[in-house]
Amino acid sequence: MRRERLKKMAVWKFASCDGCQLSLLDCEDELLTLAGKIKIAHFIEASRAVMRGPYDLSLVEGSITTPDDAERIKEVRRESRTLITIGACATSGGIQALRNFADVREFTSIVYARPEYIHTLAQSTGIADHVKVDFELRGCPINKRQLLEVILAFLKGRRPNIASESVCVECKARGNICIAVAKGVACMGPVTQAGCGAICPAYDRGCYGCFGPKEHANVNSLRADWSEQKGLSPLAMERLFHTFHAWAEPFRQAGLAAKQDLTPEIQRIEAECE
Amino acid sequence: MATLSADIGVTYRMRAGDLGALFSTLHAANFLTIGPRLSGEAIILEELNGPEDLPVGWGDEQEAGRYRLRRRADQAFFGYNLGPESWKKFLTPQRQLLWRARRQGATFTIEQPERLGGGPQQLAFIGVRACELAAIRVQERVREVSGQPANDLIDAKCRVATPFLVGVTCAQSAATCFCTSMGTGPALGPPGSSGVGYDLALTEFPSEDDHHFTIEARSERGADIASHIPRQLATEEECDAVRQQSDTTAALMRRHLKLDKPAQLFQDSLEHPHWDEVASRCLSCANCTLVCPTCFCTNIEDTSDLSGDVAERWLRWDSCFHLDFSYLHGGSVRQTTRSRYRQWLTHKLGTWHEQFGSSGCVGCGRCIAWCPVGIDLTVELEALTLSPEVTGVQTGKYEHP
Ligand code: SF4
Ligand code: SF4
Ligand code: SF4
């Protein structure tokens, strides 16, 4: 039998915390088997030995925040047959996209002694805003079981079993009692894509939305419920929507809408202070 | 205690303190007892060792999108209303392995998982309410009619070894219940002519000085079990009290569902503007279908392992609220939440009749209580059956522009 050429995989980092790459290293039990199935050709976090491209599969972590990175991602795309992004940063700009709502120059002038050395873009954006992405694996960080599934599906040339449904489905599968209904907790689960295994509700915390908006995320309805039935303040709502996926469209808008509701409150407090 | 034979269809009186005998007799007959248990913020269904595991003295308060446990003034064992879980948790589990293929050299073998009913123990369900028996029957019919691929697997438990069913009359309804409208409760009703039925029917009277039950055997094995429980013939008043209890529960039912021509619901409401209104609130999160005791849709998931030597086929719960559920060649048919909610409601209340000979709804109210934004099908239906001109109705507690 002719030995098949092993496919080559590369892992790339952009603006990120490395947590998603760690999820790959975290696949301790499976990593060796995986290494026998796919050639890990470029993974600086794990090894300094790098092979040149092109690569059959590229996993991209992180968001685009600098002019250099905006160029580098194009190079990565050119070198990659299949490009899969991993994590919230790569999907929608990550938590660092919070700066998109403010003036970066102002930040840099406060934080850095010599702000003129800082070359940064006005916004932190996901990879798909810059190049074609073949598949987005969600999560902050990603779930390692899902990561293996995506790589496996790639190797077999099949569709990965990654559901687009809500976190609620995983809550029910896990046997969690819905804390939104039974405790009145503001939970992002109904508008967030499954994948984490409903970890937060299992520990009595509302979902933080770290897997990003599910398809058809009806954020307005949830916001109305939070304010009418759960008495959530606009500030708390803004925080919930503007965290891990602040720049993902439905969450971006919902957070901004909550902020707008906040304006009269701020004005009132300011007036009182005067 | 000497065994005193019990007759089918005769009502006996049993002291609350003797409820333990029901469990021990079932255990002696090799049944695994499953029933309501307090778990954190709700009452769920799990294995029970004895009456001490029941939610003694606990009740609940339910409304659209809201569920809260409440302490009762008495020590009732069954003083709660339905929790989020239904018996489908055991009859059609969330995930079931259908088969596993293993590569062996140039060929492969198929392994079938152990049949569900093939285990050493049969199941006994304790505390099956009237609407829940109705739901088990609905799922039975669905299986018969549709002949799903998982049929024999589910049959293994449901028909070859039908669980032992202990029914309990509802002494009160939750605000979300509407079984009277669906003709499924709250009385345990006469023994079913066909299909699954109760083996034992209990009614609880939790007064402080005379906490007791009435117990009636509905099947031979039910009579067998009852014969081991200390009891005496119920007096006429005690028999009347059973009827009175369910009559009072029925009279106090607060929600109602009215649908004159279910078969026409779909055609009549197809372009109703109210679907857009519901869609503006619905999160397409699928909680309603997951808690519904009759929703049966599943999906097939094929997995392969890293070595490439083992492949598995799983059956898992799916929902008509999922985008991927209606995925056909070229994409999903039901792209909008409007079309997904419409599919759910018109199937459940309308086309279900045509397909399975009954309504798909038994009036348990779970979908109302466990919808995170409190969407209430009884209210939506009311708005839908009003003529399209009369829209803009204020629906439920949620008002959206
Ligand atoms: S706890 Fe949150 S994620 Fe879980 S079912 Fe309730 S709303 Fe959905
Ligand atoms: S009706 Fe309620 S529970 Fe059902 S999908 Fe819509 S929001 Fe979720
Ligand atoms: S549709 Fe709702 S009320 Fe009817 S059986 Fe299902 S969960 Fe119960």
Side-chain angles (χ1 to χ4, degrees):
Chain A
M1 209 164 53
R2 191 175 62 92
R3 242 187 101 87
E4 262 183 65
R5 178 187 73 90
L6 277 192
K7 294 206 160 116
K8 275 163 73 182
M9 177 172 88
V11 184
W12 307 96
K13 176 189 158 63
F14 288 81
S16 60
C17 76
D18 291 36
C20 291
Q21 295 186 63
L22 278 178
S23 301
L24 182 54
L25 288 176
D26 207 23
C27 301
E28 290 158 352
D29 299 338
E30 298 88 356
L31 210 54
L32 279 180
T33 324
L34 187 67
K37 299 279 166 190
I38 194 163
K39 179 86 210 143
I40 301 177
H42 182 286
F43 186 11
I44 294 178
E45 177 125 347
S47 162
R48 267 182 303 172
V50 295
M51 288 167 68
R52 289 206 317 200
Y55 310 96
D56 298 289
L57 171 65
S58 274
L59 300 179
V60 178
E61 176 199 81
S63 70
I64 304 299
T65 56
T66 65
D68 283 353
D69 279 354
E71 281 312 309
R72 187 160 62 95
I73 187 62
K74 288 184 193 144
E75 238 167 80
V76 168
R77 176 70 262 191
R78 273 195 295 273
E79 294 277 351
S80 316
R81 277 202 184 90
T82 299
L83 189 154
I84 294 176
T85 62
I86 53 173
C89 303
T91 305
S92 66
I95 204 158
Q96 59 272 28
L98 283 174
R99 77 179 200 200
N100 300 5
F101 300 93
D103 186 347
V104 179
R105 270 170 315 174
E106 219 176 288
F107 280 149
T108 44
S109 68
I110 296 168
V111 175
Y112 299 100
R114 303 290 302 271
E116 63 271 25
Y117 288 140
I118 305 296
H119 297 289
T120 188
L121 296 169
Q123 294 183 335
S124 166
T125 45
I127 302 300
D129 285 0
H130 301 265
V131 296
K132 179 175 168 289
V133 169
D134 298 298
F135 191 82
E136 275 180 352
L137 186 62
R138 305 281 196 90
C140 186
I142 51 168
N143 170 302
K144 77 172 198 186
R145 190 187 42 77
Q146 285 203 328
L147 176 63
L148 282 173
E149 166 62 15
V150 164
I151 298 175
L152 222 70
F154 165 78
L155 286 172
K156 293 263 174 277
R158 63 167 168 82
R159 227 176 99 154
N161 286 318
I162 305 287
S164 64
E165 58 213 27
S166 71
V167 175
C168 302
V169 177
E170 295 190 313
C171 247
K172 294 289 181 288
R174 194 178 177 140
N176 289 348
I177 291 161
C178 175
I179 51 174
V181 169
K183 290 181 87 174
V185 171
C187 180
M188 295 271 283
V191 294
T192 302
Q193 182 171 305
C196 62
I199 302 172
C200 293
Y203 292 95
D204 259 11
R205 302 294 301 261
C207 162
Y208 292 99
C210 72
F211 273 59
K214 82 183 251 295
E215 55 84 28
H216 279 81
N218 191 348
V219 287
N220 289 336
S221 172
L222 198 62
R223 213 158 49 78
D225 176 78
W226 285 351
S227 97
E228 288 158 30
Q229 305 297 324
K230 304 199 164 59
L232 217 65
S233 73
L235 184 65
M237 286 198 246
E238 193 213 345
R239 287 247 167 95
L240 272 169
F241 284 116
H242 283 181
T243 305
F244 303 101
H245 283 270
W247 207 242
E249 198 47 25
F251 289 4
R252 188 182 76 88
Q253 278 185 17
L256 285 175
K259 205 171 179 177
Q260 229 163 44
D261 296 342
L262 196 62
T263 322
E265 198 179 324
I266 294 173
Q267 283 169 346
R268 186 183 52 78
I269 295 170
E270 280 175 353
E272 268 172 24
C273 291
E274 271 165 25
Chain B
M1 219 269 321
T3 321
L4 263 176
S5 76
D7 290 322
I8 299 179
V10 174
T11 306
Y12 298 92
R13 172 194 221 280
M14 169 184 122
R15 289 186 306 126
D18 288 326
L19 193 59
L22 171 64
F23 283 87
S24 53
T25 312
L26 283 168
H27 293 156
N30 207 22
F31 281 105
L32 196 73
T33 45
I34 296 175
R37 190 199 266 269
L38 201 64
S39 165
E41 307 298 327
I43 288 162
I44 62 163
L45 300 173
E46 269 186 350
E47 190 188 336
L48 306 176
N49 295 314
E52 67 280 5
D53 287 342
L54 291 165
V56 186
W58 284 98
D60 48 68
E61 212 177 270
Q62 305 192 32
E63 245 316 323
R66 188 184 161 85
Y67 175 102
R68 293 289 185 280
L69 286 172
R70 291 281 177 259
R71 265 270 170 218
R72 289 174 60 95
D74 57 26
Q75 293 297 302
F77 290 99
F78 298 98
Y80 61 90
N81 287 103
L82 300 179
E85 296 182 341
S86 70
W87 303 99
K88 82 174 177 183
K89 174 178 177 180
F90 305 97
L91 296 172
T92 52
Q94 292 244 358
R95 272 176 77 80
Q96 295 176 67
L97 180 62
L98 295 180
W99 50 256
R100 178 183 294 126
R102 224 178 256 286
R103 191 206 304 270
Q104 264 155 0
T107 156
F108 65 91
T109 54
I110 300 259
E111 296 164 11
Q112 285 220 298
E114 174 132 314
R115 287 289 160 91
L116 283 166
Q121 280 191 306
Q122 287 195 49
L123 304 181
F125 293 169
I126 315 280
V128 180
R129 306 297 171 104
C131 68
E132 297 191 292
L133 175 65
I136 293 173
R137 286 183 178 160
V138 168
Q139 284 219 329
E140 270 268 309
R141 259 191 316 271
V142 168
R143 265 174 236 128
E144 269 162 31
V145 173
S146 57
Q148 294 168 65
N151 234 3
D152 57 338
L153 193 83
I154 295 160
D155 275 356
K157 200 195 251 168
C158 207
R159 252 167 291 192
V160 179
T162 309
F164 188 96
L165 300 186
V166 180
V168 173
T169 310
C170 288
Q172 73 282 309
S173 61
T176 40
C177 295
F178 56 101
C179 61
T180 41
S181 302
M182 307 317 289
T184 56
L188 296 185
S193 48
S194 66
V196 191
Y198 290 122
D199 294 289
L200 288 173
L202 302 185
T203 303
E204 184 176 21
F205 299 93
S207 76
E208 205 180 311
D209 46 348
D210 182 28
H211 191 170
H212 70 277
F213 285 88
T214 60
I215 175 168
E216 183 200 326
R218 294 281 178 90
S219 70
E220 250 162 65
R221 59 178 184 170
D224 255 7
I225 298 291
S227 68
H228 294 275
I229 301 171
R231 69 200 187 285
Q232 62 195 73
L233 269 182
T235 62
E236 217 167 288
E237 291 89 76
E238 281 164 346
C239 293
D240 279 349
V242 173
R243 253 186 311 278
Q244 271 164 25
Q245 191 182 80
S246 56
D247 284 353
T248 315
T249 304
L252 294 176
M253 195 93 25
R254 274 180 277 165
R255 269 188 170 72
H256 303 279
L257 185 142
K258 198 169 154 293
L259 182 58
D260 293 330
K261 297 186 206 118
Q264 266 155 261
L265 175 64
F266 182 68
Q267 296 95 297
D268 287 355
S269 69
L270 201 56
E271 295 302 333
H272 201 294
H274 189 68
W275 295 123
D276 288 320
E277 202 281 335
V278 189
S280 75
R281 283 173 287 135
C282 176
L283 308 167
S284 60
C285 64
N287 274 298
C288 48
T289 60
L290 298 170
V291 295
C292 178
T294 68
C295 274
F296 58 84
C297 286
T298 51
N299 190 8
I300 293 286
E301 203 173 272
D302 287 333
T303 66
S304 51
D305 81 336
L306 205 51
S307 68
D309 293 334
V310 183
E312 289 176 346
R313 173 157 287 191
W314 288 83
L315 185 74
R316 65 178 201 100
W317 286 5
D318 204 346
S319 169
C320 50
F321 281 93
H322 295 158
L323 177 67
D324 293 341
F325 181 73
S326 64
Y327 189 92
L328 299 178
H329 167 76
S332 287
V333 179
R334 293 187 204 104
Q335 290 281 340
T336 61
T337 303
R338 174 185 189 268
S339 62
R340 295 182 217 169
Y341 191 88
R342 185 177 67 188
Q343 158 64 24
W344 180 68
L345 195 77
T346 56
H347 185 219
K348 184 111 315 201
L349 300 175
T351 42
W352 202 292
H353 282 270
E354 212 175 306
Q355 201 179 0
F356 305 117
S358 76
S359 174
C361 174
V362 298
C364 74
R366 285 188 180 91
C367 59
I368 303 173
W370 296 95
C371 170
V373 290
I375 292 176
D376 177 345
L377 80 168
T378 66
V379 180
E380 306 313 332
L381 187 74
E382 210 177 298
L384 281 162
T385 42
L386 291 174
S387 75
E389 295 84 56
V390 209
T391 48
V393 244
Q394 300 283 296
T395 51
K397 53 176 183 159
Y398 294 88
E399 299 166 17
H400 293 256

